[in-house]
Amino acid sequence: GLTAVPLAAVIGVLAGLIAGYAGGRLDSAIMLVSDTIQSLPGVMFLVMIVLIFRNFLSPTWIHGLIALVVGFAAVSWVGLARLIRANILQIRSQLFVEAAVSIGASPRRILARHLLPNVLHVILVWMINSIPAVILLEALLGYIGVGVTGAVDGGEFTVVSWGGMFFAGRSAMNRNPLMLIIPSLCILLISMSFILLADFLNGITRQEGA
């Protein structure tokens, strides 16, 4: 969650800023790519990316983690890109942006100094909301056997993850249900914490805007 979400945020912010400010064919091309990714089943697309990367990388936990991070980022950036684009379309018509254009500011300076600071709160709230979603996706992939590392020796994982715990606990669910209950509670608590934090920050930004 703390690695995949920032990577997805970088891709989504760049795509949203360029699409919203440039417009025209570039905007259409970026939106076409995002529409294509969004039309695909998210979990199946993520599984495909992870499996493809793991076939080309050596079966160590760090390479498995890289595969998961790249897969999560490839699936998750679309929502933020659309959100940033919608905000940029509203902001770019305001007077302070037109004043920067009139004095000859370059597009790069306008994006970095005038547009990006006005959407930072949107990016922050999106990132905090996305972390529990990524954690749940990792747990789902681990439960179906596509976890942080490749399965060896009949399904044992070489690194601890909540998804791996789900996978390992399936066979012992009747004998020792705590193997599933404890990671489930951990996921529930951390997801609720991030969601409450996002709501708190969203409330602060709304009060400042008012």
Side-chain angles (χ1 to χ4, degrees), residues 109-130:
R109 180 177 178 85
I110 293 172
L111 289 172
R113 296 293 299 272
H114 300 285
L115 296 180
L116 182 59
N118 283 281
V119 294
L120 285 179
H121 66 284
V122 176
I123 300 170
L124 180 61
V125 172
W126 179 89
M127 289 179 64
I128 296 175
N129 270 321
S130 297

Side-chain angles (χ1 to χ4, degrees), residues 1 22 37 45 59 81-82 89 92-93 120-121 133 144 161 164 185 202:
I37 295 176
F45 185 54
R82 290 181 168 276
L89 289 175
R92 72 177 186 179
S93 60
L120 285 179
H121 66 284
I144 63 177
S161 72
L185 288 176
N202 198 23

Side-chain angles (χ1 to χ4, degrees), residues 71-113:
F72 288 139
V75 173
S76 304
W77 68 270
V78 175
L80 180 60
R82 290 181 168 276
L83 192 61
I84 296 298
R85 174 181 176 272
N87 280 270
I88 295 301
L89 289 175
Q90 294 179 351
I91 297 172
R92 72 177 186 179
S93 60
Q94 295 187 12
L95 292 177
F96 68 92
V97 178
E98 294 180 358
V101 174
S102 65
I103 62 175
S106 64
R108 182 178 177 181
R109 180 177 178 85
I110 293 172
L111 289 172
R113 296 293 299 272

Side-chain angles (χ1 to χ4, degrees), residues 44-87:
M44 296 303 297
F45 185 54
L46 178 59
V47 170
M48 180 187 69
I49 293 175
V50 171
L51 292 179
I52 289 174
F53 266 81
R54 280 181 19 182
N55 286 335
F56 287 99
L57 298 174
S58 58
T60 61
W61 73 268
I62 186 63
H63 291 150
L65 182 61
I66 292 173
L68 277 178
V69 168
V70 172
F72 288 139
V75 173
S76 304
W77 68 270
V78 175
L80 180 60
R82 290 181 168 276
L83 192 61
I84 296 298
R85 174 181 176 272
N87 280 270

Side-chain angles (χ1 to χ4, degrees), residues 130-147:
S130 297
I131 290 175
V134 171
I135 293 173
L136 290 173
L137 276 175
E138 189 278 328
L140 174 62
L141 294 183
Y143 185 77
I144 63 177
V146 188

Side-chain angles (χ1 to χ4, degrees), residues 188-202:
L188 175 65
L189 290 175
I190 196 168
S191 298
M192 288 181 60
S193 300
F194 278 112
I195 290 172
L196 291 174
L197 177 60
D199 288 341
F200 174 73
L201 293 176
N202 198 23

